[in-house]
Amino acid sequence: MTDGRITTARLGDNGPEVGVQGLGCMGMNFGYGPADADASRATLERALELGVTLYDTADAYGAGENERFLSPFFKAHRDEVVIATKFSLSIPPDDPTRRVIRNDPPYIRQAVEASLKRLDVDVIDLYYMHRRDVNVPIEESVGTMADLVREGKVKHLGLSEVTADELRAAHAVHPIAAVQSEWSLFSRDIEPKVVPAVRDLGVALVAYSPLGRGFLTGSFTNADQDLTPGDFRRQQPRFTGDNATANATLLELIRSVADAHDASLGQIALAWAHQQASIHDLPVIPIPGTRKPSRVEENTAATRIVLTEEQLDLLDGIAAQVAGNRYADMAFTSAGRE
């Protein structure tokens, strides 16, 4: 790996082989305030040079604009990249600020056609159910997703923020390649039930927000004070007010480990996430998001950092001390339903 390229892992027993670290693309033009389109494009190219092949988006990111933004890059490198996108967060026509969870078969078919058109591709490599509508049997939703595989519109299926039981029920209908859940030094609620189910079924765990939406890098310590008004992190409980103040003190533990490795805070957070693969015996693909080529270089370099048992033990207690939930409404997460 003298060229700096990362190693690979497989998404599920029968899924595609991808770089062991993916790229979360949401923030390139949605969610995290103003962005530089040219810098984002350069970031995509640099990521691919470093062996990042899994690129993650969703139809809800900017009401489809994120998919449109990524389309030229995907077309230019179609045989080199694995395109992951998601459905289920419907935008009501009368209120573009709202999201309504829909898993019903007619909506799934509508959503996949719209994503294929925006991405301008013939097939989506990995198609996720973004959030779970508990009013629709998961067998019914995954049955429709399986039909999309048989029809050649989708290659592999994924689920995001599902419980262990929901995963098992879905996997019985059609093999699930990947479960995407928030997993980081600050967010470990999936470990008691979801992670064992993922391992037992031969599914990969795609860890989103492994950098705690940037908080674990130290790039901001209070969303209200440090982030622009349009940044959605200002709506997340653990990043504002007294919660943010308390959580910022936890970064000092990470900093002590970072100093020992001559690494950044973010690199230690990512190294921890990568090391969960051997700890829990399953494929783990973190998908940190960034809009800067230099950050991709920093993030991928973290795949080569190995934490000692003592350092893992030191970091182990952080999550239990975090103040505030991941979201204001945890009903939309697996933890809120377990």
PDB file of all heavy atoms in Angstrom, residues 216-249:
ATOM      1  N   LEU A 216     -16.399  14.929  16.326  1.00  0.00           N
ATOM      2  CA  LEU A 216     -15.262  14.141  16.802  1.00  0.00           C
ATOM      3  C   LEU A 216     -13.936  14.596  16.205  1.00  0.00           C
ATOM      4  O   LEU A 216     -12.874  14.154  16.639  1.00  0.00           O
ATOM      5  CB  LEU A 216     -15.492  12.658  16.509  1.00  0.00           C
ATOM      6  CG  LEU A 216     -16.562  11.979  17.365  1.00  0.00           C
ATOM      7  CD1 LEU A 216     -16.907  10.604  16.820  1.00  0.00           C
ATOM      8  CD2 LEU A 216     -16.105  11.869  18.804  1.00  0.00           C
ATOM      9  N   THR A 217     -13.984  15.452  15.217  1.00  0.00           N
ATOM     10  CA  THR A 217     -12.745  15.997  14.653  1.00  0.00           C
ATOM     11  C   THR A 217     -12.308  17.257  15.381  1.00  0.00           C
ATOM     12  O   THR A 217     -11.201  17.750  15.161  1.00  0.00           O
ATOM     13  CB  THR A 217     -12.905  16.344  13.167  1.00  0.00           C
ATOM     14  OG1 THR A 217     -13.782  17.483  13.028  1.00  0.00           O
ATOM     15  CG2 THR A 217     -13.473  15.166  12.383  1.00  0.00           C
ATOM     16  N   GLY A 218     -13.211  17.823  16.210  1.00  0.00           N
ATOM     17  CA  GLY A 218     -12.927  19.086  16.878  1.00  0.00           C
ATOM     18  C   GLY A 218     -13.136  20.290  15.987  1.00  0.00           C
ATOM     19  O   GLY A 218     -12.792  21.415  16.368  1.00  0.00           O
ATOM     20  N   SER A 219     -13.728  20.081  14.816  1.00  0.00           N
ATOM     21  CA  SER A 219     -13.929  21.200  13.883  1.00  0.00           C
ATOM     22  C   SER A 219     -14.988  22.182  14.375  1.00  0.00           C
ATOM     23  O   SER A 219     -15.030  23.329  13.942  1.00  0.00           O
ATOM     24  CB  SER A 219     -14.316  20.678  12.500  1.00  0.00           C
ATOM     25  OG  SER A 219     -15.528  19.944  12.553  1.00  0.00           O
ATOM     26  N   PHE A 220     -15.878  21.725  15.274  1.00  0.00           N
ATOM     27  CA  PHE A 220     -16.809  22.630  15.945  1.00  0.00           C
ATOM     28  C   PHE A 220     -17.116  22.045  17.310  1.00  0.00           C
ATOM     29  O   PHE A 220     -17.020  20.821  17.512  1.00  0.00           O
ATOM     30  CB  PHE A 220     -18.089  22.839  15.123  1.00  0.00           C
ATOM     31  CG  PHE A 220     -19.056  21.682  15.149  1.00  0.00           C
ATOM     32  CD1 PHE A 220     -20.151  21.687  16.003  1.00  0.00           C
ATOM     33  CD2 PHE A 220     -18.884  20.588  14.311  1.00  0.00           C
ATOM     34  CE1 PHE A 220     -21.047  20.630  16.035  1.00  0.00           C
ATOM     35  CE2 PHE A 220     -19.776  19.519  14.331  1.00  0.00           C
ATOM     36  CZ  PHE A 220     -20.859  19.546  15.194  1.00  0.00           C
ATOM     37  N   THR A 221     -17.447  22.885  18.251  1.00  0.00           N
ATOM     38  CA  THR A 221     -17.760  22.415  19.602  1.00  0.00           C
ATOM     39  C   THR A 221     -19.126  22.870  20.083  1.00  0.00           C
ATOM     40  O   THR A 221     -19.608  22.392  21.106  1.00  0.00           O
ATOM     41  CB  THR A 221     -16.695  22.881  20.613  1.00  0.00           C
ATOM     42  OG1 THR A 221     -16.577  24.305  20.547  1.00  0.00           O
ATOM     43  CG2 THR A 221     -15.342  22.234  20.311  1.00  0.00           C
ATOM     44  N   ASN A 222     -19.762  23.787  19.351  1.00  0.00           N
ATOM     45  CA  ASN A 222     -21.125  24.212  19.664  1.00  0.00           C
ATOM     46  C   ASN A 222     -21.791  24.640  18.366  1.00  0.00           C
ATOM     47  O   ASN A 222     -21.373  25.614  17.737  1.00  0.00           O
ATOM     48  CB  ASN A 222     -21.122  25.363  20.667  1.00  0.00           C
ATOM     49  CG  ASN A 222     -22.530  25.696  21.153  1.00  0.00           C
ATOM     50  OD1 ASN A 222     -23.394  26.054  20.356  1.00  0.00           O
ATOM     51  ND2 ASN A 222     -22.764  25.580  22.452  1.00  0.00           N
ATOM     52  N   ALA A 223     -22.797  23.887  17.954  1.00  0.00           N
ATOM     53  CA  ALA A 223     -23.417  24.131  16.655  1.00  0.00           C
ATOM     54  C   ALA A 223     -24.029  25.518  16.549  1.00  0.00           C
ATOM     55  O   ALA A 223     -23.945  26.168  15.509  1.00  0.00           O
ATOM     56  CB  ALA A 223     -24.481  23.065  16.378  1.00  0.00           C
ATOM     57  N   ASP A 224     -24.653  25.995  17.626  1.00  0.00           N
ATOM     58  CA  ASP A 224     -25.283  27.309  17.584  1.00  0.00           C
ATOM     59  C   ASP A 224     -24.268  28.420  17.333  1.00  0.00           C
ATOM     60  O   ASP A 224     -24.555  29.397  16.637  1.00  0.00           O
ATOM     61  CB  ASP A 224     -26.019  27.590  18.903  1.00  0.00           C
ATOM     62  CG  ASP A 224     -27.275  26.745  19.050  1.00  0.00           C
ATOM     63  OD1 ASP A 224     -27.846  26.360  18.017  1.00  0.00           O
ATOM     64  OD2 ASP A 224     -27.672  26.471  20.197  1.00  0.00           O
ATOM     65  N   GLN A 225     -23.091  28.266  17.888  1.00  0.00           N
ATOM     66  CA  GLN A 225     -22.076  29.313  17.785  1.00  0.00           C
ATOM     67  C   GLN A 225     -21.161  29.142  16.578  1.00  0.00           C
ATOM     68  O   GLN A 225     -20.690  30.124  16.005  1.00  0.00           O
ATOM     69  CB  GLN A 225     -21.214  29.316  19.053  1.00  0.00           C
ATOM     70  CG  GLN A 225     -21.983  29.618  20.332  1.00  0.00           C
ATOM     71  CD  GLN A 225     -21.141  29.422  21.574  1.00  0.00           C
ATOM     72  OE1 GLN A 225     -19.930  29.227  21.496  1.00  0.00           O
ATOM     73  NE2 GLN A 225     -21.787  29.455  22.746  1.00  0.00           N
ATOM     74  N   ASP A 226     -20.906  27.889  16.173  1.00  0.00           N
ATOM     75  CA  ASP A 226     -19.860  27.627  15.192  1.00  0.00           C
ATOM     76  C   ASP A 226     -20.361  27.348  13.783  1.00  0.00           C
ATOM     77  O   ASP A 226     -19.567  27.402  12.831  1.00  0.00           O
ATOM     78  CB  ASP A 226     -19.012  26.427  15.646  1.00  0.00           C
ATOM     79  CG  ASP A 226     -18.376  26.633  17.008  1.00  0.00           C
ATOM     80  OD1 ASP A 226     -18.212  27.805  17.401  1.00  0.00           O
ATOM     81  OD2 ASP A 226     -18.044  25.633  17.667  1.00  0.00           O
ATOM     82  N   LEU A 227     -21.645  27.033  13.628  1.00  0.00           N
ATOM     83  CA  LEU A 227     -22.151  26.610  12.329  1.00  0.00           C
ATOM     84  C   LEU A 227     -23.147  27.619  11.762  1.00  0.00           C
ATOM     85  O   LEU A 227     -23.790  28.348  12.502  1.00  0.00           O
ATOM     86  CB  LEU A 227     -22.806  25.227  12.446  1.00  0.00           C
ATOM     87  CG  LEU A 227     -21.912  24.114  13.019  1.00  0.00           C
ATOM     88  CD1 LEU A 227     -22.689  22.810  13.119  1.00  0.00           C
ATOM     89  CD2 LEU A 227     -20.655  23.932  12.177  1.00  0.00           C
ATOM     90  N   THR A 228     -23.267  27.612  10.434  1.00  0.00           N
ATOM     91  CA  THR A 228     -24.159  28.556   9.762  1.00  0.00           C
ATOM     92  C   THR A 228     -25.615  28.204  10.036  1.00  0.00           C
ATOM     93  O   THR A 228     -25.944  27.050  10.341  1.00  0.00           O
ATOM     94  CB  THR A 228     -23.906  28.537   8.247  1.00  0.00           C
ATOM     95  OG1 THR A 228     -24.123  27.208   7.748  1.00  0.00           O
ATOM     96  CG2 THR A 228     -22.473  28.966   7.937  1.00  0.00           C
ATOM     97  N   PRO A 229     -26.534  29.175   9.905  1.00  0.00           N
ATOM     98  CA  PRO A 229     -27.944  28.926  10.229  1.00  0.00           C
ATOM     99  C   PRO A 229     -28.566  27.766   9.453  1.00  0.00           C
ATOM    100  O   PRO A 229     -29.457  27.089   9.960  1.00  0.00           O
ATOM    101  CB  PRO A 229     -28.614  30.259   9.872  1.00  0.00           C
ATOM    102  CG  PRO A 229     -27.537  31.275  10.079  1.00  0.00           C
ATOM    103  CD  PRO A 229     -26.274  30.608   9.628  1.00  0.00           C
ATOM    104  N   GLY A 230     -28.118  27.493   8.236  1.00  0.00           N
ATOM    105  CA  GLY A 230     -28.722  26.422   7.447  1.00  0.00           C
ATOM    106  C   GLY A 230     -28.194  25.040   7.745  1.00  0.00           C
ATOM    107  O   GLY A 230     -28.652  24.064   7.141  1.00  0.00           O
ATOM    108  N   ASP A 231     -27.270  24.931   8.666  1.00  0.00           N
ATOM    109  CA  ASP A 231     -26.643  23.642   8.969  1.00  0.00           C
ATOM    110  C   ASP A 231     -27.564  22.822   9.879  1.00  0.00           C
ATOM    111  O   ASP A 231     -27.927  23.255  10.959  1.00  0.00           O
ATOM    112  CB  ASP A 231     -25.295  23.884   9.653  1.00  0.00           C
ATOM    113  CG  ASP A 231     -24.415  22.659   9.670  1.00  0.00           C
ATOM    114  OD1 ASP A 231     -24.901  21.596  10.114  1.00  0.00           O
ATOM    115  OD2 ASP A 231     -23.246  22.766   9.258  1.00  0.00           O
ATOM    116  N   PHE A 232     -27.930  21.608   9.430  1.00  0.00           N
ATOM    117  CA  PHE A 232     -28.937  20.849  10.177  1.00  0.00           C
ATOM    118  C   PHE A 232     -28.397  20.294  11.492  1.00  0.00           C
ATOM    119  O   PHE A 232     -29.175  19.853  12.346  1.00  0.00           O
ATOM    120  CB  PHE A 232     -29.514  19.739   9.302  1.00  0.00           C
ATOM    121  CG  PHE A 232     -28.843  18.400   9.431  1.00  0.00           C
ATOM    122  CD1 PHE A 232     -29.455  17.376  10.127  1.00  0.00           C
ATOM    123  CD2 PHE A 232     -27.599  18.159   8.854  1.00  0.00           C
ATOM    124  CE1 PHE A 232     -28.853  16.139  10.250  1.00  0.00           C
ATOM    125  CE2 PHE A 232     -26.994  16.931   8.970  1.00  0.00           C
ATOM    126  CZ  PHE A 232     -27.622  15.918   9.671  1.00  0.00           C
ATOM    127  N   ARG A 233     -27.080  20.340  11.700  1.00  0.00           N
ATOM    128  CA  ARG A 233     -26.533  19.889  12.983  1.00  0.00           C
ATOM    129  C   ARG A 233     -26.976  20.782  14.140  1.00  0.00           C
ATOM    130  O   ARG A 233     -26.917  20.366  15.299  1.00  0.00           O
ATOM    131  CB  ARG A 233     -25.004  19.835  12.892  1.00  0.00           C
ATOM    132  CG  ARG A 233     -24.497  18.711  12.014  1.00  0.00           C
ATOM    133  CD  ARG A 233     -23.005  18.795  11.782  1.00  0.00           C
ATOM    134  NE  ARG A 233     -22.657  19.913  10.918  1.00  0.00           N
ATOM    135  CZ  ARG A 233     -21.415  20.158  10.484  1.00  0.00           C
ATOM    136  NH1 ARG A 233     -20.412  19.370  10.858  1.00  0.00           N
ATOM    137  NH2 ARG A 233     -21.170  21.191   9.701  1.00  0.00           N
ATOM    138  N   ARG A 234     -27.447  21.978  13.817  1.00  0.00           N
ATOM    139  CA  ARG A 234     -27.967  22.860  14.867  1.00  0.00           C
ATOM    140  C   ARG A 234     -29.272  22.324  15.451  1.00  0.00           C
ATOM    141  O   ARG A 234     -29.724  22.803  16.494  1.00  0.00           O
ATOM    142  CB  ARG A 234     -28.187  24.262  14.294  1.00  0.00           C
ATOM    143  CG  ARG A 234     -26.872  24.982  13.946  1.00  0.00           C
ATOM    144  CD  ARG A 234     -27.126  26.210  13.094  1.00  0.00           C
ATOM    145  NE  ARG A 234     -27.949  27.194  13.771  1.00  0.00           N
ATOM    146  CZ  ARG A 234     -27.538  28.397  14.170  1.00  0.00           C
ATOM    147  NH1 ARG A 234     -26.268  28.757  13.981  1.00  0.00           N
ATOM    148  NH2 ARG A 234     -28.356  29.230  14.749  1.00  0.00           N
ATOM    149  N   GLN A 235     -29.879  21.326  14.801  1.00  0.00           N
ATOM    150  CA  GLN A 235     -31.115  20.731  15.287  1.00  0.00           C
ATOM    151  C   GLN A 235     -30.881  19.462  16.109  1.00  0.00           C
ATOM    152  O   GLN A 235     -31.837  18.879  16.633  1.00  0.00           O
ATOM    153  CB  GLN A 235     -32.023  20.389  14.100  1.00  0.00           C
ATOM    154  CG  GLN A 235     -32.334  21.570  13.188  1.00  0.00           C
ATOM    155  CD  GLN A 235     -33.008  21.113  11.908  1.00  0.00           C
ATOM    156  OE1 GLN A 235     -33.601  20.034  11.841  1.00  0.00           O
ATOM    157  NE2 GLN A 235     -32.911  21.934  10.870  1.00  0.00           N
ATOM    158  N   GLN A 236     -29.615  19.030  16.227  1.00  0.00           N
ATOM    159  CA  GLN A 236     -29.332  17.772  16.918  1.00  0.00           C
ATOM    160  C   GLN A 236     -28.926  18.043  18.368  1.00  0.00           C
ATOM    161  O   GLN A 236     -28.019  18.842  18.620  1.00  0.00           O
ATOM    162  CB  GLN A 236     -28.265  16.995  16.159  1.00  0.00           C
ATOM    163  CG  GLN A 236     -28.804  16.548  14.791  1.00  0.00           C
ATOM    164  CD  GLN A 236     -27.813  15.707  14.030  1.00  0.00           C
ATOM    165  OE1 GLN A 236     -26.769  16.188  13.639  1.00  0.00           O
ATOM    166  NE2 GLN A 236     -28.151  14.442  13.821  1.00  0.00           N
ATOM    167  N   PRO A 237     -29.585  17.385  19.303  1.00  0.00           N
ATOM    168  CA  PRO A 237     -29.451  17.742  20.719  1.00  0.00           C
ATOM    169  C   PRO A 237     -28.038  17.732  21.265  1.00  0.00           C
ATOM    170  O   PRO A 237     -27.694  18.573  22.101  1.00  0.00           O
ATOM    171  CB  PRO A 237     -30.318  16.688  21.420  1.00  0.00           C
ATOM    172  CG  PRO A 237     -31.319  16.268  20.402  1.00  0.00           C
ATOM    173  CD  PRO A 237     -30.603  16.329  19.095  1.00  0.00           C
ATOM    174  N   ARG A 238     -27.207  16.822  20.834  1.00  0.00           N
ATOM    175  CA  ARG A 238     -25.899  16.704  21.472  1.00  0.00           C
ATOM    176  C   ARG A 238     -24.885  17.755  21.024  1.00  0.00           C
ATOM    177  O   ARG A 238     -23.788  17.822  21.567  1.00  0.00           O
ATOM    178  CB  ARG A 238     -25.314  15.303  21.252  1.00  0.00           C
ATOM    179  CG  ARG A 238     -25.081  14.911  19.823  1.00  0.00           C
ATOM    180  CD  ARG A 238     -24.464  13.507  19.714  1.00  0.00           C
ATOM    181  NE  ARG A 238     -25.172  12.513  20.501  1.00  0.00           N
ATOM    182  CZ  ARG A 238     -25.009  11.204  20.354  1.00  0.00           C
ATOM    183  NH1 ARG A 238     -24.180  10.737  19.441  1.00  0.00           N
ATOM    184  NH2 ARG A 238     -25.672  10.354  21.099  1.00  0.00           N
ATOM    185  N   PHE A 239     -25.272  18.568  20.046  1.00  0.00           N
ATOM    186  CA  PHE A 239     -24.334  19.548  19.508  1.00  0.00           C
ATOM    187  C   PHE A 239     -24.630  20.978  19.939  1.00  0.00           C
ATOM    188  O   PHE A 239     -23.994  21.917  19.450  1.00  0.00           O
ATOM    189  CB  PHE A 239     -24.305  19.484  17.987  1.00  0.00           C
ATOM    190  CG  PHE A 239     -23.909  18.141  17.442  1.00  0.00           C
ATOM    191  CD1 PHE A 239     -24.513  17.641  16.297  1.00  0.00           C
ATOM    192  CD2 PHE A 239     -22.949  17.372  18.072  1.00  0.00           C
ATOM    193  CE1 PHE A 239     -24.151  16.407  15.789  1.00  0.00           C
ATOM    194  CE2 PHE A 239     -22.585  16.127  17.580  1.00  0.00           C
ATOM    195  CZ  PHE A 239     -23.183  15.642  16.432  1.00  0.00           C
ATOM    196  N   THR A 240     -25.611  21.169  20.812  1.00  0.00           N
ATOM    197  CA  THR A 240     -25.993  22.523  21.209  1.00  0.00           C
ATOM    198  C   THR A 240     -26.083  22.652  22.729  1.00  0.00           C
ATOM    199  O   THR A 240     -26.231  21.662  23.450  1.00  0.00           O
ATOM    200  CB  THR A 240     -27.359  22.910  20.603  1.00  0.00           C
ATOM    201  OG1 THR A 240     -28.353  21.974  21.052  1.00  0.00           O
ATOM    202  CG2 THR A 240     -27.314  22.901  19.083  1.00  0.00           C
ATOM    203  N   GLY A 241     -26.000  23.881  23.196  1.00  0.00           N
ATOM    204  CA  GLY A 241     -26.218  24.198  24.604  1.00  0.00           C
ATOM    205  C   GLY A 241     -25.290  23.461  25.556  1.00  0.00           C
ATOM    206  O   GLY A 241     -24.112  23.216  25.268  1.00  0.00           O
ATOM    207  N   ASP A 242     -25.839  23.106  26.722  1.00  0.00           N
ATOM    208  CA  ASP A 242     -25.044  22.427  27.746  1.00  0.00           C
ATOM    209  C   ASP A 242     -24.553  21.065  27.277  1.00  0.00           C
ATOM    210  O   ASP A 242     -23.480  20.604  27.700  1.00  0.00           O
ATOM    211  CB  ASP A 242     -25.877  22.254  29.022  1.00  0.00           C
ATOM    212  CG  ASP A 242     -26.167  23.580  29.717  1.00  0.00           C
ATOM    213  OD1 ASP A 242     -25.447  24.561  29.429  1.00  0.00           O
ATOM    214  OD2 ASP A 242     -27.108  23.621  30.526  1.00  0.00           O
ATOM    215  N   ASN A 243     -25.328  20.403  26.416  1.00  0.00           N
ATOM    216  CA  ASN A 243     -24.889  19.110  25.891  1.00  0.00           C
ATOM    217  C   ASN A 243     -23.572  19.254  25.132  1.00  0.00           C
ATOM    218  O   ASN A 243     -22.646  18.450  25.308  1.00  0.00           O
ATOM    219  CB  ASN A 243     -25.943  18.521  24.955  1.00  0.00           C
ATOM    220  CG  ASN A 243     -27.158  17.999  25.689  1.00  0.00           C
ATOM    221  OD1 ASN A 243     -27.133  17.832  26.901  1.00  0.00           O
ATOM    222  ND2 ASN A 243     -28.229  17.764  24.954  1.00  0.00           N
ATOM    223  N   ALA A 244     -23.493  20.252  24.276  1.00  0.00           N
ATOM    224  CA  ALA A 244     -22.277  20.466  23.496  1.00  0.00           C
ATOM    225  C   ALA A 244     -21.088  20.758  24.396  1.00  0.00           C
ATOM    226  O   ALA A 244     -19.978  20.249  24.178  1.00  0.00           O
ATOM    227  CB  ALA A 244     -22.484  21.606  22.501  1.00  0.00           C
ATOM    228  N   THR A 245     -21.317  21.568  25.420  1.00  0.00           N
ATOM    229  CA  THR A 245     -20.238  21.893  26.356  1.00  0.00           C
ATOM    230  C   THR A 245     -19.716  20.637  27.046  1.00  0.00           C
ATOM    231  O   THR A 245     -18.499  20.424  27.162  1.00  0.00           O
ATOM    232  CB  THR A 245     -20.736  22.898  27.409  1.00  0.00           C
ATOM    233  OG1 THR A 245     -21.202  24.086  26.751  1.00  0.00           O
ATOM    234  CG2 THR A 245     -19.632  23.261  28.371  1.00  0.00           C
ATOM    235  N   ALA A 246     -20.633  19.792  27.497  1.00  0.00           N
ATOM    236  CA  ALA A 246     -20.237  18.553  28.171  1.00  0.00           C
ATOM    237  C   ALA A 246     -19.531  17.606  27.213  1.00  0.00           C
ATOM    238  O   ALA A 246     -18.511  16.984  27.562  1.00  0.00           O
ATOM    239  CB  ALA A 246     -21.467  17.882  28.771  1.00  0.00           C
ATOM    240  N   ASN A 247     -20.049  17.500  26.004  1.00  0.00           N
ATOM    241  CA  ASN A 247     -19.480  16.555  25.049  1.00  0.00           C
ATOM    242  C   ASN A 247     -18.106  16.985  24.551  1.00  0.00           C
ATOM    243  O   ASN A 247     -17.261  16.140  24.226  1.00  0.00           O
ATOM    244  CB  ASN A 247     -20.434  16.361  23.877  1.00  0.00           C
ATOM    245  CG  ASN A 247     -21.711  15.657  24.294  1.00  0.00           C
ATOM    246  OD1 ASN A 247     -21.734  14.933  25.291  1.00  0.00           O
ATOM    247  ND2 ASN A 247     -22.790  15.886  23.565  1.00  0.00           N
ATOM    248  N   ALA A 248     -17.871  18.284  24.504  1.00  0.00           N
ATOM    249  CA  ALA A 248     -16.560  18.774  24.056  1.00  0.00           C
ATOM    250  C   ALA A 248     -15.447  18.318  24.996  1.00  0.00           C
ATOM    251  O   ALA A 248     -14.303  18.095  24.567  1.00  0.00           O
ATOM    252  CB  ALA A 248     -16.577  20.292  23.935  1.00  0.00           C
ATOM    253  N   THR A 249     -15.777  18.156  26.268  1.00  0.00           N
ATOM    254  CA  THR A 249     -14.743  17.712  27.213  1.00  0.00           C
ATOM    255  C   THR A 249     -14.306  16.279  26.945  1.00  0.00           C
ATOM    256  O   THR A 249     -13.174  15.894  27.273  1.00  0.00           O
ATOM    257  CB  THR A 249     -15.246  17.813  28.669  1.00  0.00           C
ATOM    258  OG1 THR A 249     -16.329  16.889  28.875  1.00  0.00           O
ATOM    259  CG2 THR A 249     -15.730  19.223  28.986  1.00  0.00           C
TER     260      THR A 249
END
